[in-house]
Amino acid sequence: MQTEYLNRLGDVVRSLVKETEAQIGFEITVRVDAAQERLPHSEHRSMRCEMDEYKAEISIADIEHFSDASVFHELQHIRRFLVDGIPKLTVCEDYEPWDPQIDKAILHLDNNLEHLVIIPIELREFPERRAYWDKKFEAQTGRLSRGG
């Protein structure tokens, strides 16, 4: 991870970054998402990550959205895929009634299932995040009960 970001992290998360990079064999990069940077601060999305077998990138709206808890969370996603080898759900290529909505639904399902594992790990390290996740899940269950 670039030094300017790594130095902003506490010891626990900084160590996890270094350990993860050693295990995956390359640097985790941090990128400011220019599209989010232009939005009003209140509309910034949370941090997210993208990875494959060749790269791991954490995208942030701005440096203010670079907390230890959020980085720890994204590292859990990276570790599950690149260190632990947990596969992602995908649509079968031969599935005849395929459409882009199915891909999107499978992506969301995979992310939600992954959070069932990652969030408890995050809460053990950062228990103060419980209110944040309670609010996120309350919104999610509200959408489910409304059918949307």
Side-chain angles (χ1 to χ4, degrees):
M1 181 176 286
Q2 302 99 302
T3 305
E4 64 267 26
Y5 295 105
L6 193 61
N7 288 342
R8 292 177 155 272
L9 299 171
D11 293 340
V12 170
V13 180
R14 188 178 319 119
S15 293
L16 187 60
V17 168
K18 290 178 181 181
E19 176 186 319
T20 303
E21 289 177 337
Q23 289 174 313
I24 63 177
F26 51 85
E27 182 180 67
I28 297 166
T29 58
V30 178
R31 177 180 66 85
V32 175
D33 184 341
Q36 283 198 72
E37 200 174 32
R38 289 188 292 271
L39 294 172
H41 190 269
S42 62
E43 294 180 32
H44 285 178
R45 284 194 329 246
S46 56
M47 189 179 292
R48 62 187 173 87
C49 66
E50 293 181 22
M51 76 221 82
D52 60 30
E53 59 271 16
Y54 306 106
K55 71 170 178 67
E57 181 178 84
I58 297 174
S59 296
I60 59 175
D62 59 49
I63 197 63
E64 292 176 40
H65 286 87
F66 198 73
S67 71
D68 276 32
S70 294
V71 173
F72 182 89
H73 178 95
E74 298 308 323
L75 286 171
Q76 298 310 308
H77 285 290
I78 292 167
R79 293 179 62 77
R80 284 182 54 76
F81 182 68
L82 296 175
V83 175
D84 300 335
I86 306 296
K88 291 188 172 283
L89 293 176
T90 59
V91 175
C92 177
E93 293 174 8
D94 298 3
Y95 185 62
E96 285 299 320
W98 178 90
D99 72 36
Q101 290 296 84
I102 293 173
D103 267 350
K104 186 177 178 181
I106 295 294
L107 179 69
H108 286 292
L109 175 62
D110 180 74
N111 192 50
N112 286 334
L113 290 172
E114 194 163 320
H115 279 113
L116 292 175
V117 175
I118 288 174
I119 292 169
I121 295 168
E122 178 183 345
L123 291 177
R124 280 195 295 272
E125 192 65 40
F126 298 95
E128 68 278 8
R129 295 271 290 178
R130 179 166 301 281
Y132 169 81
W133 286 113
D134 285 348
K135 184 177 177 183
K136 294 275 279 190
F137 278 107
E138 185 177 303
Q140 181 94 9
T141 56
R143 281 193 303 275
L144 290 173
S145 66
R146 291 187 303 275

